Amino acid sequence: MIRYIVKRCLLVVPVLLGATLLIFGIMELTPGDPGRIILGNTASEEEVQRLNEEMGLNKPFLERYVKFITGLLHGDMGTSYRNGLDVAQQIGERFSKTLLLAASAVLLALLIGIPCGVFSAIRQYSIFDNIVSVVSLVLAAAPVFWLGLVMTLLFSVKLHLLPAAAVFNKGTAQILKSLILPAFCLSGNTMAIVVRTTRASMLEVVHQDYIDTARAKGLPESDVRKRHMLKNALIPIITAVGLNFGALLGGSVLTESIFAWPGVGRFITESIAAKDTPCVLASVVMLAITFTLINLLVDLLYAFADPRIKSQYQKARRVS
């Protein structure tokens, strides 16, 4: 298992190199002059050229890319073109907020999606199953921006129950209150996926012979559902949640924009608009590392959910 973890961690290196090289090339091809963006339209062409030369922006593409990677290996993510602040510090302040939003969205999707999927499978073709299927289909098809605007109009403008924008300077209670709308908005699509995946996985195991055997032994129905049905249906659910959690970290741009949530997604869009290459590259690196770690955690959870997978790891270790 340890050898597998080390191997997966080493695979992060080529992934990061490929992702950063691709983003670096895209930012290089986009129109706009960083020196002009920093100094403004009133600056002369000589001043712009002088600033670009001071920042090393006139050097060849590969030389600047190698310089960025070298600095990254030493923990230096560079300095923002827009405000001259340390990029790592700016991302650190925003990444925790994005992680809070994504984790809250996944938690809501699990707390609501798994029970609904389980009861839909157990009561197949019932009224409850039909309602859950229709609601999950709507959530899967609803665009994030539409869902966010509808929730803002209903709960903020009409009912005045929840704030329409994020508030981080009025205590923990206000932060949690302002988290509800963006978390529910971001969790909509993931919740639909969890419901449908749980229902499909449960339907595959609900009529298996070992379920009938467990009931014949006299086990309570709640134990049969938790220990035999749900546990054997966890692998597809873990996969769906893991992949969506990684996607939520980088795909929450619209949600953060609608609810003025100061996260990494919104930070990336602002940096792209200003052609702030160090901020964009550092954000991509952080998201790529986090996504890789989440995938590694998902693989490890497989072993705990299914003992057969754990035995395969141990067998491969003995053979090697």
Side-chain angles (χ1 to χ4, degrees):
M1 183 71 74
I2 296 177
R3 182 180 299 179
Y4 174 76
I5 295 174
V6 173
K7 182 179 178 181
R8 289 298 301 269
C9 291
L10 291 176
L11 289 176
V12 178
V13 177
V15 171
L16 290 180
L17 289 175
T20 53
L21 181 60
L22 179 63
I23 299 299
F24 206 91
I26 293 174
M27 294 297 295
E28 181 73 13
L29 295 175
T30 54
D33 188 347
R36 176 64 65 184
I37 294 172
I38 296 171
L39 296 177
N41 295 326
T42 58
S44 63
E45 190 64 28
E46 291 77 10
E47 292 174 335
V48 173
Q49 293 296 331
R50 189 183 309 114
L51 180 61
N52 286 335
E53 187 174 353
E54 291 175 358
M55 294 190 301
L57 299 178
N58 293 332
K59 295 181 179 179
F61 172 82
L62 289 179
E63 184 177 346
R64 286 185 283 118
Y65 176 73
V66 171
K67 181 180 178 181
F68 169 77
I69 295 297
T70 304
L72 188 64
L73 294 176
H74 292 86
D76 181 16
M77 292 186 174
T79 304
S80 173
Y81 292 164
R82 291 178 293 169
N83 48 34
L85 298 177
D86 183 62
V87 174
Q89 182 179 357
Q90 295 183 75
I91 293 179
E93 295 172 354
R94 291 165 173 79
F95 184 75
S96 59
K97 296 179 176 63
T98 295
L99 190 61
L100 173 64
L101 179 59
S104 302
V106 170
L107 182 62
L108 284 172
L110 291 175
L111 292 178
I112 299 175
I114 290 180
C116 290
V118 170
F119 285 109
S120 293
I122 294 173
R123 302 173 183 175
Q124 189 179 12
Y125 304 128
S126 64
I127 296 178
F128 178 81
D129 183 26
N130 293 331
I131 293 175
V132 169
S133 298
V134 171
V135 173
S136 62
L137 183 62
V138 171
L139 289 176
V144 174
F145 68 88
W146 177 84
L147 188 61
L149 293 176
V150 169
M151 294 176 69
T152 302
L153 288 174
L154 179 61
F155 294 102
S156 298
V157 179
K158 297 294 183 182
L159 301 178
H160 303 286
L161 295 176
L162 297 170
V167 179
F168 285 92
N169 56 358
K170 294 185 179 180
T172 305
Q174 191 65 26
I175 293 175
L176 295 177
K177 192 174 181 180
S178 63
L179 178 64
I180 295 175
L181 282 184
F184 267 101
C185 177
L186 191 60
S187 68
N189 184 261
T190 304
M191 191 182 302
I193 293 174
V194 170
V195 169
R196 299 171 73 175
T197 304
T198 304
R199 183 180 182 274
S201 300
M202 288 290 292
L203 287 175
E204 291 182 2
V205 302
V206 72
H207 299 300
Q208 295 293 329
D209 293 337
Y210 58 83
I211 301 297
D212 296 333
T213 303
R215 287 175 175 151
K217 291 180 178 179
L219 290 177
E221 188 64 24
S222 59
D223 289 345
V224 174
R225 293 175 183 175
K226 289 187 295 185
R227 296 171 55 186
H228 296 278
M229 291 184 185
L230 184 58
K231 190 172 182 179
N232 284 280
L234 275 179
I235 297 296
I237 300 173
I238 292 174
T239 304
V241 172
L243 293 176
N244 277 274
F245 186 53
L248 290 178
L249 286 172
S252 58
V253 177
L254 290 176
T255 304
E256 292 180 356
S257 300
I258 292 172
F259 296 99
W261 191 267
V264 176
R266 188 180 174 193
F267 181 65
I268 291 177
T269 57
E270 295 172 352
S271 301
I272 292 174
K275 200 176 181 181
D276 198 342
T277 304
C279 292
V280 177
L281 287 171
S283 301
V284 170
V285 169
M286 286 294 296
L287 293 176
I289 291 175
T290 306
F291 192 83
T292 305
L293 293 177
I294 291 172
N295 287 337
L296 176 60
L297 180 61
V298 168
D299 289 342
L300 296 179
L301 287 176
Y302 287 160
F304 291 98
D306 192 343
R308 292 171 297 181
I309 298 177
K310 187 175 182 180
S311 65
Q312 290 176 2
Y313 287 143
Q314 294 174 347
K315 184 178 179 180
R317 182 179 179 182
R318 288 195 298 266
V319 171
S320 59

